[in-house]
Amino acid sequence: MFNYFRKEIEWGGRPLILETGKIARQADGAVMITYGDTIVLCTAVGAKTVKPGQDFFPLTVNYQEKAFAAGKIPGGFFKREGRPNENETLVSRLIDRPIRPLFPEGFRNEVQIVATVLSHDLENDPDIVSLIGCSAALTISGIPFFGPVGAARVARINGEFVLNPTTAQTEESDLDLVVAGTAEGVLMVESEAKELSEEIMLDAVTFGHTAFQAVINAIIELAEHAAKEPWALPEASEEEKALRARVDALARTSIAAAYGEKAKAARYEKVGAAKKAAAAALTAEGLNADAARGLFKDLEADIVRNSILDNGIRIDGRDTRTVRPIVAEVGVLPRAHGSALFTRGETQALCVATLGTAQDEQVIDALDGEYREHFMLHYNFPPYSVGEAGRMGSPGRREIGHGKLAWRAIHPLLPGKDKFPYTLRVVSEITESNGSSSMATVCGTSLSLMDAGVPLTRPVAGIAMGLIKEDRGFAVLSDILGDEDHLGDMDFKVAGTEEGVTSLQMDIKITSITPEIMKIALEQAREGRIHILGEMAKALTGARGGVAATAPRITIINVPKEKIREVIGQGGKVIRDIVEQTGCKIDIEDDGTIKIASTSEEKTQAAIDRITGIVAEAEIGKIYNGKVVKVADFGAFVNFLGAKDGLVHISELAATRVNKTADIVTQGDAVKVKVIGFDDRGKVKLSMRVVDQATGEDIGDKVGSKGGSRRED
């Protein structure tokens, strides 16, 4: 019934198992991949025909986590998985990026890849497992694919690289790097690092690339036994060849002249006019102008790429190493806690930082458990930033991915919560875009956080590198434009400080690049990053001395753990009353740490006084200011320490004989009392007679231990 095949290898100290032929047999390719006890089902399906008029490759990657994989029931009202969460979106992009370049040019059939996490052992992250499984499913599907692709996660612990670290090992590492590629070279890198050198980052990439060769060999062996018949590769027809030659003849000169315009808007207008004129000429000749849309793009790429290789001059007139002009400004929004406007050429990011309390932390319900995130970075890319009218809605995959890239760049430099106990949110609004808005977000976020008084270890900057590679040579480009990104072979983003790299992301659009190219790109990126940091320093060199007046001040006090219950009160009554009366936000931790947040020092002090009054212990011999709260025949009850009351016996009201308590005090009187002991039940015994009620002076020695005659109960 089943045409089952299984391939197992030992990899990174655990077995990696690839199985096919038993589950999801109607998919073009289906592989069940197991690593430890993490299991992912990966499928690949391709449409057998191309939709009419399709001029691009419609590839969709869906990574989905099932709650049952970790023995959980989904939260929420519906109790079922819904729209992809942020992690699912990021892993979908992680899978997409290295496989997309390996489909043949001209292939337009729709392809859908689905990775479903069926089991998660909470030790081995499903993302690498899913990427490998999807590569294997594509390789055996018969769909045209120049794979297989391998992938690995690399950590660095005590100066040594570790392959596919467990969750616990990742927490000890100063590097979290994912690398994917073919046997020939690297296609994708994603990383977060704690200011590591370019040499260490390159060594980590090389380590990972070498390590996943065993996985590529296992996929090849799986394909040798289980692969379906390959689909025919798309070939250009004679009509297409003739159309390409005609497009070249009609449009090359005018498009090349249009690319001589340095301003983006004017250049786009001239390029559009050149293509429109060429399309009209094609239609007049009876040729299909719609079929030529992709050919125009190929012609643009050929013109731009060869111009850079021939004379080293780019679209906007720069050489390959020059960074566009930069203007960095801070404090641009008066009511924001921190703000920055970072402009580089025709790319601009308005970054705004907001400081909150622990109550503002994001609660994330992940497969490996619930956790709280105190740093959020949200990236928005409105259509007006590129001069277009478009739909506004919830963030897409690109926005989520760019925001996470900037988050990784900044995260290693943030102070610990013990030093700066704020929840941080930064919003990056891209107000103009012509290349590398994610790196503008890194620079703007760094400035806005420092403007808000967040003590970053050092400022962080980012730069995007590009590549033009042909058989006759290559050129690495610093600070790429949007066109250079679209028409080039590499998008290589590097962020870091003067000390080292904090984040690196690389996407290759060709089959692979060499270590030599990566080394040149990293060194050129370091040069550009240092320049950008210098321009940022003209606005702000470090964190301001304190948080903005509009931001909450957080004061930390500590109380004994056994007193937490008293501060909270039954059903939270006491703490709610303190919050309502003072207007402060108050967070109480299990270890007795209490964080009080308010924009008013007076309100903060009022909350502190209330709390310390609750937890404070009465000290024998100490004099307190108090208030009479109840009068009885045998004495007066006085509130003297927070919510604590004590009894002033009638014999301790005055130094002379007292017949009635009401002769000395009434309810509401302010008095001064001295703690003289505790009764058998732990209740506090107070005395007024040994305290000068005018000055608060202890006069016990003057009146003697008992004083005059007094009434006995």
Side-chain angles (χ1 to χ4, degrees), residues 565-566 568-574 576:
R565 181 177 297 179
E566 297 178 33
I568 295 174
Q570 185 175 6
K573 180 180 179 181
V574 174
R576 280 200 306 272

Side-chain angles (χ1 to χ4, degrees), residues 353-686:
T354 306
L355 308 183
T357 68
Q359 296 176 22
D360 298 308
E361 290 181 335
Q362 183 179 16
V363 179
I364 298 175
D365 184 17
L367 272 187
D368 52 358
E370 185 178 285
Y371 66 94
R372 303 176 76 89
E373 180 55 65
H374 81 287
F375 174 47
M376 294 160 279
L377 200 161
H378 298 145
Y379 166 103
N380 297 313
F381 193 88
Y384 67 75
S385 65
V386 288
E388 296 178 356
R391 185 181 67 86
M392 299 283 287
S394 57
R397 288 188 174 189
R398 180 181 179 277
E399 284 79 8
I400 292 172
H402 279 28
K404 188 63 175 181
L405 171 59
W407 184 96
R408 290 191 182 101
I410 300 291
H411 183 249
L413 282 305
L414 292 176
K417 290 177 65 177
D418 56 332
K419 297 180 180 178
F420 195 75
Y422 287 89
T423 296
L424 309 174
R425 180 184 185 235
V426 176
V427 177
S428 174
E429 295 288 338
I430 303 304
T431 50
E432 295 180 31
S433 181
N434 185 15
S436 193
S437 55
S438 63
M439 294 297 95
T441 294
V442 171
C443 302
T445 296
S446 176
L447 289 167
S448 68
L449 287 172
M450 292 191 296
D451 186 49
V454 180
L456 294 181
T457 308
R458 272 172 288 278
V460 189
I463 186 170
M465 311 298 294
L467 173 70
I468 303 297
K469 184 175 182 290
E470 299 287 354
D471 291 340
R472 62 193 179 95
F474 67 89
V476 175
L477 313 178
S478 295
D479 182 25
I480 56 175
L481 301 171
D483 285 336
E484 291 168 341
D485 183 4
H486 302 318
L487 304 177
D489 298 320
M490 176 180 75
D491 184 10
F492 191 4
K493 296 168 181 172
V494 186
T497 67
E498 291 181 344
E499 299 295 321
V501 175
T502 58
S503 182
L504 187 155
Q505 177 179 292
M506 181 176 70
D507 293 302
I508 304 301
K509 302 172 187 178
I510 51 179
T511 54
S512 64
I513 65 168
T514 64
E516 176 197 4
I517 294 175
M518 284 189 62
K519 184 176 181 180
I520 293 172
L522 281 167
E523 176 54 33
Q524 205 164 309
R526 189 193 65 79
E527 176 187 295
R529 185 174 79 245
I530 298 301
H531 168 75
I532 295 170
L533 285 168
E535 295 299 304
M536 290 167 57
K538 294 177 182 178
L540 202 59
T541 57
R544 298 196 185 278
V547 299
T550 53
R553 264 67 171 177
I554 296 181
T555 304
I556 300 176
I557 62 174
N558 292 280
V559 302
K561 289 192 289 187
E562 60 271 15
K563 295 288 185 178
I564 294 175
R565 181 177 297 179
E566 297 178 33
V567 176
I568 295 174
Q570 185 175 6
K573 180 180 179 181
V574 174
I575 194 66
R576 280 200 306 272
D577 181 63
I578 296 173
V579 169
E580 290 171 4
Q581 293 296 321
T582 65
C584 297
K585 286 185 177 182
I586 301 176
D587 298 308
I588 302 176
E589 299 179 5
D590 293 340
D591 64 355
T593 300
I594 299 180
K595 299 175 182 176
I596 303 167
S598 174
T599 55
S600 166
E601 291 185 14
E602 183 180 347
K603 292 179 179 179
T604 298
Q605 190 58 50
I608 292 173
D609 292 343
R610 289 284 301 272
I611 294 170
T612 53
I614 292 171
V615 302
E617 297 287 351
E619 300 178 30
I620 293 179
K622 187 172 181 178
I623 295 172
Y624 297 90
N625 292 317
K627 181 179 180 181
V628 178
V629 294
K630 184 179 180 182
V631 175
D633 290 342
F634 52 84
F637 289 96
V638 175
N639 174 243
F640 71 99
L641 184 60
K644 286 184 172 60
D645 296 342
L647 173 65
V648 180
H649 191 268
I650 193 170
S651 63
E652 295 291 341
L653 284 171
T656 58
R657 179 183 177 82
V658 178
N659 292 318
K660 288 181 63 178
T661 303
D663 291 342
I664 305 299
V665 293
T666 59
Q667 186 173 331
D669 284 353
V671 297
K672 293 177 174 60
V673 294
K674 179 180 179 179
V675 178
I676 58 175
F678 302 90
D679 65 16
D680 295 340
R681 295 176 298 168
K683 302 296 184 181
V684 181
K685 296 194 294 184
L686 304 172

